[in-house]
Amino acid sequence: MSEFLQQLVNGVTWGSVYALIALGYTMVYGILRLINFAHGDIYMLGAFVGLYASRFLNAGAEPSPGKALVVLLASMVVCAFIGVLIERFAYKPVRKSSRLAALITAIGVSLLLENGGVLVFGADPKFFPQLVVSHPVELGAGVTVSNQQLIVLVVSLVLMLLLRLLVRHTRVGKAMQAVSHNHMAASLMGISVDRIISFTFMIGSALAAAAGVLVALQSPKIEPYMGIMPGLKAFVAAVLGGIGNVPGAVVGGLVMGVAEVLVTGYVSPTYRDAIAFVLLIFILLVRPAGIFGKAVTEKV
């Protein structure tokens, strides 16, 4: 039983990272009906910005929670700015084009970021410094986690809670909801649709950057292609929960993380990546709209 609880805690911790990335997918889809395949690469950029910020602060030689927080915030701010630039220069020009054109643009942006990352950062993996010294924490019932796992879980939950408060209880959050329902009606009500779309990309990119730093905290090897598989799995998590639905993305991410860890622990690590696509096929066959999604009839 203690082993199962241990795997469950590990799965929730890992799933919270998927949830952070999945939130960006689901927010952009909810606003633009666009699958931003470059989102996983923003996660990669977040880790590299965190690496250079930690070198600037000398956080690796003198680790402290304060420096770790500054590194996290710096990564989120820089990637939020990059997210806005990507929206303005890549997605806005094709906003009124077909969905296929937008999808091809997203794939192009993803390839640009990955190969640009190789050019700028180098193809060889980089070591991410230990911003917080790791030590075990006893949770009882034979379950032990590291303090880094607890940091990942707590920071992820805090960010998700802040996003929830932003969307539900602020004017900009209500404007985001209005734009997600109807761009024209929102515009007639005096809402700047362009600004809301840019704001959505900014928030989604900041969350992906936070996920990149949190993962690098536990797995300190980063490279320019590190965002491909987590990005795909987070997309599956968003579909699993019901893409366009914020709570659904959180639930989908947690389900994905727990399923992955349980398969690794009880079946074989070989199937760790396969479980994401098994879940995707299963949810598309059983409930194509996702756990919290609603089926929409489209007239032709």
Side-chain angles (χ1 to χ4, degrees), residues 239-240 282-295:
V239 174
L240 186 64
F282 177 76
I283 198 68
L284 289 178
L285 289 174
V286 176
R287 190 174 170 80
I291 298 172
F292 293 97
K294 295 179 181 176

Side-chain angles (χ1 to χ4, degrees), residues 65-256:
K67 289 183 178 179
L69 181 61
V70 172
V71 168
L72 180 70
L73 293 177
S75 178
M76 292 175 70
V77 169
V78 172
C79 287
F81 180 68
I82 293 173
V84 172
L85 289 181
I86 290 173
E87 191 278 324
R88 285 294 173 90
F89 293 103
Y91 296 136
K92 189 176 180 181
V94 298
R95 195 181 296 168
K96 295 181 180 177
S97 304
S98 65
R99 290 189 184 181
L100 180 61
L103 187 64
I104 292 172
T105 302
I107 295 172
V109 173
S110 174
L111 292 173
L112 175 67
L113 293 178
E114 288 165 11
N115 292 287
V118 172
L119 194 65
V120 174
F121 307 126
D124 55 316
K126 304 289 188 298
F127 177 75
F128 195 90
Q130 291 285 292
L131 302 179
V132 178
V133 178
S134 177
H135 61 78
V137 178
E138 293 282 346
L139 296 183
V143 178
T144 303
V145 297
S146 70
N147 60 330
Q148 293 178 343
Q149 282 181 289
L150 287 179
I151 290 172
V152 170
L153 185 59
V154 170
V155 172
S156 300
L157 291 177
V158 168
L159 290 175
M160 285 186 269
L161 179 61
L162 289 176
L163 177 65
R164 174 76 174 173
L165 293 175
L166 175 77
V167 172
R168 303 289 293 183
H169 301 290
T170 65
R171 291 185 64 182
V172 69
K174 290 174 182 175
M176 290 168 67
Q177 294 181 53
V179 172
S180 71
H181 285 292
N182 191 303
H183 286 200
M184 181 66 73
S187 179
L188 292 174
M189 294 298 292
I191 296 171
S192 174
V193 174
D194 285 342
R195 287 185 181 179
I196 293 302
I197 291 173
S198 296
F199 185 77
T200 303
F201 270 84
M202 185 177 76
I203 297 296
S205 299
L207 293 177
V213 174
L214 292 174
V215 169
L217 193 64
Q218 293 188 90
S219 305
K221 189 179 79 170
I222 62 176
E223 46 92 14
Y225 294 110
M226 63 178 281
I228 296 176
M229 191 53 73
L232 283 174
K233 290 180 180 178
F235 168 66
V236 172
V239 174
L240 186 64
I243 193 161
N245 187 297
V246 171
V250 176
V251 173
L254 294 177
V255 170
M256 176 66 69

